[in-house]
Amino acid sequence: QVQLVESGGGLVPPGGSLRLSCTASGIIRSIGDMDWYRQAPGKERELVAGITDVGITNYADSVKGRFTIARDNAKNTMYLQMNSLKPEDTGVYYCNAHITVTFSFRKWYWGQGTQVTVSS
């Protein structure tokens, strides 16, 4: 059984910073692309940032220059450093990863989400 567990969310004032982590555990042969999504109340889930297994990154325009995605393949962990946070960054942040369990079985897995609230 593969699990993705996020951590690092919380309440922070505008202009503050948070660092999210997502760790994969279980029977894992390899991890491909990994992404962070977020969902604000009443809105659809949206892609925030993504990183390939070789470290190529992409970001939503709304977070470019403020957020940095990274991963540590040895630890099966992905990070999201969020700086200059704005109230509109508020939402539940989800980890998403393409994981190969066996040579013939791979799928996208989701974490349970971690709440980020930006408010004074």
Side-chain angles (χ1 to χ4, degrees):
Q1 185 73 12
V2 173
Q3 274 194 314
L4 293 178
V5 178
E6 302 101 331
S7 62
L11 173 64
V12 62
S17 297
L18 282 175
R19 188 192 195 208
L20 305 183
S21 298
C22 168
T23 299
S25 63
I27 301 174
I28 298 171
R29 284 196 62 87
S30 63
I31 303 177
D33 292 354
M34 300 183 80
D35 304 307
W36 286 102
Y37 283 76
R38 69 185 177 192
Q39 188 165 19
K43 294 189 176 182
E44 292 187 356
R45 193 172 296 190
E46 63 174 352
L47 178 65
V48 175
I51 185 166
T52 70
D53 55 349
V54 295
I56 298 171
T57 61
N58 67 280
Y59 298 92
D61 287 343
S62 59
V63 307
K64 282 180 181 176
R66 300 187 298 122
F67 290 10
T68 302
I69 190 171
R71 64 191 285 172
D72 184 334
N73 291 332
K75 296 181 179 180
N76 288 341
T77 299
M78 173 178 63
Y79 306 96
L80 187 68
Q81 178 66 42
M82 306 186 294
N83 299 327
S84 303
L85 282 161
K86 305 175 181 180
E88 50 264 42
D89 293 318
T90 294
V92 179
Y93 283 68
Y94 296 93
C95 171
N96 182 233
H98 196 227
I99 296 176
T100 298
V101 178
T102 69
F103 282 114
S104 59
F105 180 74
R106 59 182 65 87
K107 64 174 283 187
W108 287 96
Y109 289 87
W110 288 93
Q112 82 290 347
T114 185
Q115 177 70 45
V116 171
T117 303
V118 184
S119 175
S120 54

